[in-house]
């Protein structure tokens, strides 16, 4: 990754009026949260069909909750890294800044991001499928498993978008609007394989935005990126922030 790339990206950001950032599991990797598709990725060890679909939950809610409880245990022990911190600071540094994440770990909020669009839900929230009510639950470990709705007694589910399910339409609409209006879009730590999230930077590119990708490896987004910064988010973002000042 060339030094020039950082300088060029900083110049683009300095001139931007509206910025949107899409993050994926890679931004939390340096905190110690496993990604999904890397060498130690979750989908290399577990079958999504057994754990992250409505059918899997209907078949075996205890197994599904035990898996989320295990992930919650990992995430509870880790902290935001310098990449999360830079993005939280940029919310106040830039007047029009939208952070969109595919991550469910809550680390952006923990780093201080307030205006945050969580496309795939949040692992610290439960939802009553019957009543639709969403509640925060930070118990580690969870007890009992599976948790039940205090009001109707039904099974609670993780407030996470599973395979085969649609995203929250209001959140998705806001994310597409932010990308359509942005002059600059950064895609940070995502394999850009899962749609509709992966369509966001592409839609921004079509609307004329400059696309900056931060990832150690190329992705399907790379050919559409104007600037590719090869490296770890926890190192590149602080360097980019320093180059802005
Ligand atoms: P993936 O695991 O598919 O991709 C992670 C990306 O992060 C890869 O492109 C890595 O090269 C990159 N990466 C690894 N370490 C990095 C680092 N230190 N800095 C920057 N990048 C790094 O994760 P996502 O793209 O987020 O869905 O996956 C999208 C969705 O698929 C997830 O939200 C999840 C999963 O099924 C749900 O949970 C609903």
């Amino acid at each position: 990754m060339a030094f020039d790339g950082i300088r060029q990206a900083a110049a683009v950001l300095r001139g931007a009026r509206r910025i949107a950032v899409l993050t994926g599991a890679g931004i939390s990797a340096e905190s110690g949260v496993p990604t999904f598709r890397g060498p130690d990725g979750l989908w290399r060890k577990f079958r999504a069909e057994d754990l992250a679909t409505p059918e899997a939950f209907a078949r075996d809610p205890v197994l599904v909750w035990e898996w989320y409880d295990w992930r919650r245990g990992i995430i509870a022990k880790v902290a935001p890294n310098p990449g999360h911190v830079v993005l939280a600071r940029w919310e106040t540094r830039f007047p029009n800044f939208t952070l969109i994440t595919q991550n469910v770990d809550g680390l952006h909020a923990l780093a201080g991001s307030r205006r945050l669009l969580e496309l795939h839900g949040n692992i610290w929230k439960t939802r009553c499928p019957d009543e639709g009510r969403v509640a925060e639950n930070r118990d580690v470990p969870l007890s009992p498993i599976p948790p039940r709705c205090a009001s109707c007694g039904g099974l609670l589910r993780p407030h996470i978008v599973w395979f085969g399910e649609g995203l929250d339409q209001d959140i998705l609409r806001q994310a597409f609007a932010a990308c359509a209006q942005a002059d600059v879009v950064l895609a940070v730590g995502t394999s850009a394989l899962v749609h509709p999230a992966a369509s966001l930077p592409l839609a921004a590119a079509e609307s004329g935005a400059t696309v900056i990708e931060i990832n150690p490896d190329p992705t399907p987004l790379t050919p559409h990126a104007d600037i590719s910064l090869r490296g770890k988010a926890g190192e590149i973002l602080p360097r980019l922030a320093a180059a802005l000042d």
Side-chain angles (χ1 to χ4, degrees), residues 25-94:
I27 194 164
S28 295
E30 287 155 89
S31 292
V33 182
T35 64
F36 293 94
R37 295 174 183 82
D40 294 319
L42 293 174
W43 297 149
R44 300 267 177 129
K45 296 183 194 141
F46 302 99
R47 281 159 40 98
E49 308 89 283
D50 295 340
L51 299 162
T53 63
E55 294 76 20
F57 188 65
R59 204 163 45 232
D60 197 341
V62 171
L63 177 74
V64 170
W65 265 118
E66 281 174 350
W67 187 65
Y68 280 100
D69 188 45
W70 169 73
R71 286 178 57 197
R72 285 160 62 108
I74 294 173
I75 296 165
K77 290 200 193 83
V78 307
N81 66 59
H84 296 104
V85 171
V86 164
L87 294 178
R89 291 205 184 116
W90 282 358
E91 190 175 287
T92 46
R93 187 190 197 282
F94 296 104

Side-chain angles (χ1 to χ4, degrees), residues 231-242:
K232 295 179 174 181
E235 294 167 10
I236 300 279
L237 281 167
R239 286 176 60 192
L240 194 48

Side-chain angles (χ1 to χ4, degrees), residues 23-31 34-39 41-43 48 52 67-68 71 81 101-104 119-121 160-163 167 187-195 197 213-220 229-236:
T23 64
I27 194 164
S28 295
E30 287 155 89
S31 292
T35 64
F36 293 94
R37 295 174 183 82
L42 293 174
W43 297 149
W67 187 65
Y68 280 100
R71 286 178 57 197
N81 66 59
T101 190
Q102 297 166 86
N103 299 346
V104 298
L119 292 175
H120 292 163
I160 285 183
V161 180
W162 283 328
F163 287 97
L167 276 63
V188 184
T190 176
S191 59
L193 288 169
V194 176
H195 291 267
E213 181 177 57
I214 301 178
N215 198 311
D217 297 318
T219 74
L229 302 177
R230 293 266 157 264
K232 295 179 174 181
E235 294 167 10
I236 300 279

